[in-house]
């Protein structure tokens, strides 16, 4: 449905689109290249890839540039493009212990095995506006570093320490009994409730960052009972492997940048054997906020309680940014007939009410939208 009923119809729509493109390149500054977006706005492209459900950094950079920085629009473009691609096969499962770690912090353990790896972060500095960026001359701020770069280590997962001690309760995976261990594919199968955990994790991983963060925050604010401790937050490159079509051997074809988080929640109800429940989050690119929110929601949904963030159907319907994008955006399209119908009903009710209050029993003729 479009604004084709107005004068000039499709010509006006085309002109509006051209004006949008003109605004993207307006101004006196140089045009931003796709390479610059890919290199310098990796957090932005990572969010678009995560919400679009397609790991393709260069395509994400194109989408961000085309959408003028609107991550919801960029994610929409990526997911729409992905739907046109032929599916050649599936990658093989990998252990995240193979993550080539560039950053790993553990709020749970000070002396975590392998040590804390701060990596690139401003978590421990003040959030002050840097006015020197207005005079940025393009030089590398790290060019005076004397330290030799080291290969990021492969670190043991903190949760494995707790599992070795028998302190972690593993949730049910919800796999199909006829095909145990077969991963659920939310992009090809409709989700029914109660949903398997694989489907929940997939939908959370593709969820809109703000929605995942907000619903996770609702648990922390008391609209639920999950206030976890983060076992660790890790970022790095994860190998992507497939089965070679001719030899049948497992081969690594690329690596994907991901953020992984696991949180623990104490279960005191098991008086004879108290343990930790846990929530899991893994998203494309560097997006720690979303990964943490995802782990909180995973832990909350496992409780299956009355809080909003513990209702899987509510959470998964709300966090899908493409669904919410479509419903919110469609309100800008013409609703002339429905609004006229509502307007006629309001007027009719007001007329009947006015007639009743004045003691006039004469019938009031209703006017329909068709009239």
């Amino acid at each position: 449905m479009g604004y084709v009923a107005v004068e000039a119809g499709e010509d006006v729509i085309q002109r509006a689109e051209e004006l949008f493109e003109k605004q993207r390149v307006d101004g006196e500054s140089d045009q931003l290249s796709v390479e610059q977006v890919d290199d310098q706005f990796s957090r932005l492209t990572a969010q678009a890839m995560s919400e679009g459900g397609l790991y393709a950094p260069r395509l994400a950079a194109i989408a961000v540039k085309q959408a003028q920085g609107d991550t919801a629009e960029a994610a929409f473009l990526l997911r729409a493009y992905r739907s046109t691609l032929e599916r050649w096969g599936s990658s093989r499962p990998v252990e995240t212990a193979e993550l080539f770690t560039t950053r790993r912090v553990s709020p749970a353990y000070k002396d975590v095995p392998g040590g804390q790896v701060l990596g690139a972060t401003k978590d421990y500095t003040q959030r002050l506006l840097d006015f020197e960026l207005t005079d940025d001359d393009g030089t590398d701020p790290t060019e005076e570093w004397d330290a030799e770069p080291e290969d990021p280590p492969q670190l043991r997962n903190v949760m494995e320490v707790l599992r070795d001690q028998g302190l972690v309760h593993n949730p049910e995976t919800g796999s199909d009994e006829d095909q145990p261990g077969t991963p659920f594919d939310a992009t090809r199968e409709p989700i029914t409730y109660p949903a398997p955990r694989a489907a929940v994790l997939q939908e959370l991983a593709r969820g809109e960052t703000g929605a995942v963060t907000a619903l996770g925050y609702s648990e922390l604010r008391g609209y639920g009972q999950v206030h976890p401790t983060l076992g660790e937050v890790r970022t790095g490159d994860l190998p992507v492997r497939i089965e070679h079509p001719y030899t049948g051997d497992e081969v690594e074809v690329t690596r994907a940048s991901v953020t992984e988080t696991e949180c623990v929640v104490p279960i005191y109800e098991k008086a004879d054997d108290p343990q930790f429940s846990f929530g899991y989050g893994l998203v494309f690119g560097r997006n720690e906020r979303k990964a943490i929110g995802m782990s909180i929601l995973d832990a909350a949904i496992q409780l299956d309680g009355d809080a909003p963030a513990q209702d899987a159907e509510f959470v998964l319907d709300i966090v899908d940014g493409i669904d919410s994008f479509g419903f919110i955006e469609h309100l800008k399209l013409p609703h002339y007939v429905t609004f006229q119908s509502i307007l006629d009903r309001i007027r009719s009710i007001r007329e009947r009410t006015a007639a009743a209050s004045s003691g006039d029993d004469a019938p009031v003729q209703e006017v329909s939208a068709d009239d």
Side-chain angles (χ1 to χ4, degrees), residues 153-170:
Q154 290 185 350
L155 304 173
R156 188 185 184 200
N157 194 305
V158 170
M159 292 298 295
E160 293 303 320
V161 177
L162 297 176
R163 288 191 178 95
D164 289 346
Q165 300 174 14
L167 295 176
V168 177
H169 169 73
N170 288 318

Side-chain angles (χ1 to χ4, degrees), residues 288-307:
E288 296 174 6
R289 190 181 309 113
K290 179 180 175 181
I292 294 171
M294 176 180 171
S295 69
I296 295 173
L297 291 178
D298 177 39
I301 288 172
Q302 292 177 52
L303 296 177
D304 194 24
D306 297 327

Side-chain angles (χ1 to χ4, degrees), residues 354-370:
S357 62
S358 64
D360 186 0
D361 295 331
V364 177
Q365 183 180 1
E366 293 190 19
V367 179
S368 67
D370 295 334

Side-chain angles (χ1 to χ4, degrees), residues 19-35:
L19 180 59
F20 181 87
E21 288 301 309
K22 182 178 184 300
Q23 287 180 341
R24 184 177 61 79
V25 297
D26 238 355
E28 299 179 357
S29 59
D30 295 334
Q31 288 193 37
L32 196 64
S33 70
V34 171
E35 287 72 20

Side-chain angles (χ1 to χ4, degrees), residues 158-234:
V158 170
M159 292 298 295
E160 293 303 320
V161 177
L162 297 176
R163 288 191 178 95
D164 289 346
Q165 300 174 14
L167 295 176
V168 177
H169 169 73
N170 288 318
E172 297 295 331
T173 61
S175 298
D176 192 323
E177 293 181 358
D178 297 328
Q179 296 177 309
T182 300
F184 185 92
D185 189 348
T187 67
R188 309 184 82 179
E189 303 176 53
I191 296 178
T192 57
Y193 297 93
R197 186 161 178 260
V200 172
L201 291 175
Q202 285 182 57
E203 289 298 285
L204 290 177
R206 297 196 309 162
E208 199 273 328
T209 299
V212 172
T213 303
L215 285 177
Y217 179 58
S218 72
E219 284 283 311
L220 303 181
R221 287 292 295 175
Y223 299 94
Q225 58 193 82
V226 172
H227 194 114
T229 300
L230 296 182
E232 66 180 311
V233 180
R234 302 201 299 170

